[in-house]
Amino acid sequence: MANEQALEQLETKTYRVQGLTCTNCAAKFEQNVKALPGVKEAKVNFGAAKLTVWGEATIEELEQAGAFERLKIREERERITRREPFWKKKENWNILASAVLLLIGIAADTADGGILAVAMYLAVIVIGGYSLFSTGLRNLARLQFDMNTLMTIAILGAAAIGEWQEGAVVVILFAISEALERYSMDQARRSIASLMEMAPAEAIIRRGAEEMTVPVEDVRVGDVMIVRPGGKIALDGVVVNGASTVNEAAITGESMPSEKTVGDSVFAGTLNGEGFLEVKVTKRTDETTLAKMIDLIEEAQAERAPSQAFIDRFARYYTPFIIIFALFIAIVPPLWMGGAWLDWVYRGLAVLVIGCPCALVISTPVAIVTAIGNAARRGVLIKGGVYLEQIGRLRAVAFDKTGTLTKGKPAVTDIIVYEGKRERLLAVAAAIEKRSQHPLASAVVRQAKEEGVSFLDVPVDEFQSLTGQGVKAVVGNETYYIGSPSLFVDMLGRLPDEVEQRIAAFRQEGKTVMAIGTASRLLGLIAAADQLRSSASDTIKAMQRLGVKEVAMVTGDHEQTAQAIGHQAGVSDIRAGLLPEQKLAAIRELKQRYGMTAMVGDGVNDAPALAAADVGVAMGGAGTDTALETADVVLMADDLRQLPYTIRLGSRTLAIIKQNIAFALGLKVLALIAAVPGWLTLWLAVFADMGATLLVTLNSMRLLRVKE
């Protein structure tokens, strides 16, 4: 605790790391940075390729600490304005030159070129393996046996026994594999990099009568930001003037533009349409919804999934076993079986090379990085590999009702008129309800607007709220009441049987009934309901096809409404009238009966149930800080259709992790078996080891293709 407090007082700086392709390399780099004089603590996030330093260190010192892997360090917020093409990088030109020299050497060897062939092979080894040798020899001097050290020993050993061609081939294979590995890991991380580049670096700000273009870091909360047609929105804010459509795909994954007018929220990184907007800035650049998403995603990529933790534990025992096995291969046959020393030492070196656990260790994190990045681009925020794996194993899902299976906004479904005209009844009701803040009142006002009923000019006086019953007001010279039917029972006595039957029928359908009238007569009934989301039924069917065995609805609403909504949605287990502690008990029961269980809610209410579930899923995270902070998974677009996609992504991720582990171990087992009779050459060992690493990386990138 004291150590954490001491770190909080130190200067903390975060950097981006380019060229980080191996978890073992990340761990070594972290140790090297910790050893720097001005550094008190350091942490490397392999998935996000980030370095956090507590203390003081220059970029030159950090790059020196990562020189063993030729790592490049840049400021966290530094933008990459131009990406150098893959084949224009210096190290890749070295590979190309080495490949040409190798072909010349092979041609000379075929023509009995002798010295020329050896010279070409030596040139390949020097040009293609220079950086490898500089790192490998330095590690060898420190007795640090990593892949670079083992490769250096193997190549120099091949040259020492006259296997020049094999040494050159090993250099080329190793260099190509490392270049492809860097490229594939960069591609896996591109999802997050693309999010970082969504928000512009500058914003047009109006201060007083002057408009100016300033860096987003210099924009203050309360400034008015000018967003021209077709421009990107630089910071979160609220529209204070203008109207437009905004493409919010960067945040929500929803490609359909969203209508924006005065009072509506907009987010950094989203794209303005044809309108002109003036936006009052509400959050600084490091506090925007986009910035929070990126931070949470990168934190998620740093967390180890259960399968990754298992692999890391396995590797701790696997690596010493390989070293002992290689030593056994190199020593036992010459000492006790009369074998040739050079032959068996060569086989031992091949075993060491193939035994490197790089492919095995990277098999899980690269899949997690890719999947979380893909989800983020589609508007789904998954807060860690552990939740991604649990989503893939879901067997039960519980939904809250209001705002989750339903739209969360009641709408008028029926208007029954007993006296007077329908238009007059709706106009009076809307004129009175316009003064109320109740959701049902808003539904009446919206209905009047949709039908084109004129109600704004209806005179309303003496408006009064009747707590728990409704409202009353004077319209013209008469006092009107709108509220629960029980209000009219109190005023009029018993309601007619036909009216009672109608009210009962509405309630059976899950509708809320409002009565409107005067103190002496009932004029009509207005029924409203929180409508089911159009995607709810299809979402539930899709989840069931993906292996979810039980779909439940847990709600505090009354039984009749819950049953009506539940049956429309296709929910098999409907639990209504539940208090928070009863919802918690329901989640625990589902977990006990079915296993892995998710709770889907709005991220604000039902906190105990969301916390008790294996995976808590919040709806509508865009602009909702509570949802971003509390849930394990956030559906940014408030769209249920993202849920089956997320389950499918989790399931595919689990399958690909298993495939990766099988590939990594299977290739090594085959190669180790081939080593004993001498079939495993050094170049074949390199090909098998680096091939396995590339295979698991490329296989993981298939997760980028998982779509909604």
Side-chain angles (χ1 to χ4, degrees):
M1 187 70 175
N3 187 42
E4 289 180 3
Q5 292 175 346
L7 287 177
E8 288 176 2
Q9 298 173 359
L10 292 172
E11 180 184 359
T12 305
K13 201 158 187 182
T14 305
Y15 303 88
R16 298 284 166 183
V17 185
Q18 290 179 289
L20 202 59
T21 60
C22 170
T23 52
N24 288 335
C25 300
K28 182 178 178 181
F29 177 50
E30 184 178 286
Q31 292 302 317
N32 290 352
V33 174
K34 287 179 180 178
L36 293 175
V39 176
K40 298 299 181 184
E41 184 60 70
K43 183 177 179 61
V44 173
N45 180 335
F46 170 74
K50 283 176 65 173
L51 165 68
T52 304
V53 176
W54 287 266
E56 296 181 0
T58 65
I59 287 182
E60 290 74 18
E61 288 176 323
L62 296 174
E63 288 191 342
Q64 186 60 37
F68 69 96
E69 192 70 3
R70 303 180 298 284
L71 302 179
K72 298 296 180 184
I73 311 298
R74 60 183 175 87
E75 299 285 348
E76 182 183 21
R77 298 296 175 187
E78 180 184 332
R79 292 168 183 264
I80 300 176
T81 55
R82 182 177 59 87
R83 292 187 178 274
E84 193 174 23
F86 179 65
W87 289 111
K88 283 190 177 181
K89 295 181 179 178
K90 180 183 175 183
E91 58 266 31
N92 298 333
W93 276 107
N94 287 347
I95 296 172
L96 186 60
S98 300
V100 172
L101 292 173
L102 177 62
L103 292 175
I104 295 172
I106 293 173
D109 214 354
T110 305
D112 295 326
I115 295 176
L116 177 61
V118 172
M120 290 296 103
Y121 294 145
L122 179 60
V124 171
I125 291 172
V126 172
I127 295 172
Y130 174 77
S131 58
L132 164 66
F133 295 142
S134 63
T135 303
L137 291 172
R138 191 185 308 118
N139 290 348
L140 186 59
R142 299 171 181 170
L143 298 179
Q144 295 177 344
F145 292 92
D146 64 3
M147 190 63 185
N148 291 303
T149 312
L150 297 177
M151 290 300 303
T152 299
I153 294 172
I155 294 166
L156 294 179
I161 60 175
E163 294 287 348
W164 293 99
Q165 181 179 333
E166 185 166 357
V169 171
V170 167
V171 165
I172 290 288
L173 284 175
F174 183 75
I176 291 174
S177 298
E178 285 227 303
L180 290 175
E181 190 178 336
R182 282 193 298 271
Y183 175 76
S184 56
M185 276 305 302
D186 285 344
Q187 288 298 104
R189 294 185 177 115
R190 278 296 297 152
S191 295
I192 305 305
S194 63
L195 283 178
M196 293 176 62
E197 295 162 12
M198 285 288 184
E202 296 178 327
I204 302 173
I205 298 298
R206 178 183 295 148
R207 289 176 180 163
E210 185 182 0
E211 288 186 10
M212 61 191 78
T213 300
V214 300
V216 290
E217 292 80 7
D218 297 336
V219 178
R220 300 189 294 261
V221 172
D223 280 344
V224 175
M225 179 170 58
I226 307 301
V227 187
R228 296 194 171 99
K232 277 192 175 181
I233 297 171
L235 295 156
D236 286 12
V238 176
V239 177
V240 293
N241 188 27
S244 184
T245 58
V246 175
N247 186 327
E248 297 181 331
I251 301 293
T252 66
E254 174 56 62
S255 58
M256 291 297 293
S258 176
E259 297 283 345
K260 299 292 180 182
T261 186
V262 175
D264 290 336
S265 297
V266 293
F267 308 108
T270 55
L271 183 64
N272 186 26
E274 300 298 320
F276 180 89
L277 295 176
E278 293 184 8
V279 177
K280 183 178 180 181
V281 176
T282 56
K283 293 180 181 178
R284 290 180 53 81
T285 182
D286 57 347
E287 299 170 342
T288 64
T289 300
L290 181 63
K292 283 185 178 181
M293 276 182 63
I294 293 170
D295 288 342
L296 289 168
I297 292 163
E298 291 181 334
E299 288 174 15
Q301 291 177 332
E303 292 185 8
R304 295 192 307 171
S307 56
Q308 184 180 344
F310 168 76
I311 290 297
D312 290 345
R313 289 195 302 271
F314 178 78
R316 284 203 296 268
Y317 299 100
Y318 166 83
T319 305
F321 166 78
I322 288 295
I323 294 173
I324 294 170
F325 183 64
L327 192 62
F328 177 87
I329 291 290
I331 293 176
V332 171
L335 285 179
W336 283 283
M337 299 167 61
W341 275 100
L342 284 178
D343 183 28
W344 286 99
V345 168
Y346 177 87
R347 297 184 193 185
L349 288 174
V351 168
L352 275 180
V353 171
I354 190 61
C356 179
C358 285
L360 187 62
V361 172
I362 206 174
S363 60
T364 298
V366 70
I368 298 295
V369 167
T370 306
I372 289 177
N374 181 19
R377 291 179 63 185
R378 300 182 185 280
V380 179
L381 178 59
I382 302 173
K383 291 193 178 178
V386 59
Y387 306 117
L388 187 61
E389 290 193 9
Q390 287 173 338
I391 289 166
R393 298 191 180 100
L394 282 181
R395 291 296 173 266
V397 176
F399 287 93
D400 182 30
K401 182 184 76 70
T402 306
T404 302
L405 285 175
T406 65
K407 295 177 181 178
K409 291 182 178 180
V412 172
T413 57
D414 304 270
I415 299 177
I416 307 299
V417 181
Y418 293 115
E419 186 177 322
K421 294 184 178 180
R422 186 181 189 280
E423 184 176 349
R424 173 62 180 173
L425 184 75
L426 184 55
V428 170
I432 295 173
E433 293 287 30
K434 188 176 183 297
R435 290 154 174 76
S436 174
Q437 299 298 315
H438 196 280
L440 291 175
S442 300
V444 173
V445 173
R446 281 197 303 272
Q447 184 67 26
K449 288 180 178 178
E450 288 175 8
E451 293 189 15
V453 172
S454 177
F455 65 91
L456 295 177
D457 56 349
V458 175
V460 177
D461 299 307
E462 300 180 28
F463 175 86
Q464 183 181 348
S465 176
L466 307 173
T467 304
Q469 291 186 303
V471 295
K472 74 173 183 176
V474 175
V475 177
N477 296 319
E478 194 160 18
T479 301
Y480 287 86
Y481 295 80
I482 305 175
S484 168
S486 61
L487 172 64
F488 286 85
V489 171
D490 294 340
M491 292 189 299
L492 304 177
R494 186 173 178 275
L495 296 176
D497 291 343
E498 189 273 333
V499 173
E500 291 283 8
Q501 290 171 5
R502 178 80 70 170
I503 292 171
F506 281 147
R507 287 176 173 170
Q508 190 68 35
E509 295 170 5
K511 298 173 182 178
T512 301
V513 184
M514 295 172 282
I516 178 170
T518 67
S520 59
R521 63 193 191 278
L522 177 68
L523 300 178
L525 300 175
I526 300 176
D530 186 3
Q531 294 180 318
L532 184 73
R533 290 177 186 260
S534 59
S535 58
S537 179
D538 289 340
T539 294
I540 290 171
K541 290 175 183 175
M543 290 194 305
Q544 290 168 338
R545 288 195 298 269
L546 289 168
V548 175
K549 304 215 175 278
E550 180 71 359
V551 179
M553 183 174 73
V554 291
T555 178
D557 212 338
H558 58 76
E559 184 71 27
Q560 287 179 323
T561 301
Q563 289 290 338
I565 293 294
H567 289 312
Q568 289 178 50
V571 175
S572 53
D573 184 358
I574 301 168
R575 307 185 187 199
L578 301 183
L579 297 173
E581 58 268 24
Q582 292 172 316
K583 289 187 179 182
L584 176 62
I587 295 297
R588 287 175 174 167
E589 181 190 335
L590 288 171
K591 287 173 66 174
Q592 188 173 5
R593 289 174 58 191
Y594 297 99
M596 202 66 67
T597 300
M599 171 69 188
V600 186
D602 59 12
V604 180
N605 301 318
D606 307 318
L610 284 167
D614 296 298
V615 182
V617 182
M619 299 285 293
T624 309
D625 291 341
T626 306
L628 286 173
E629 291 166 6
T630 59
D632 305 320
V633 176
V634 183
L635 308 183
M636 301 295 289
D638 194 27
D639 188 349
L640 282 176
R641 291 174 297 179
Q642 291 176 322
L643 194 55
Y645 155 76
T646 308
I647 295 173
R648 184 163 60 252
L649 179 66
S651 179
R652 287 288 299 278
T653 302
L654 278 174
I656 280 180
I657 287 173
K658 292 174 182 176
Q659 292 168 11
N660 286 349
I661 294 171
F663 289 152
L665 287 178
L667 282 175
K668 291 185 184 299
V669 168
L670 290 174
L672 289 173
I673 292 172
V676 177
W679 300 338
L680 183 67
T681 61
L682 279 176
W683 69 265
L684 187 58
V686 175
F687 187 82
D689 179 73
M690 303 310 289
T693 303
L694 286 172
L695 193 60
V696 300
T697 304
L698 294 173
N699 189 46
S700 298
M701 289 179 67
R702 291 169 54 213
L703 289 167
L704 292 173
R705 298 165 56 189
V706 179
K707 299 180 181 179
E708 294 176 22

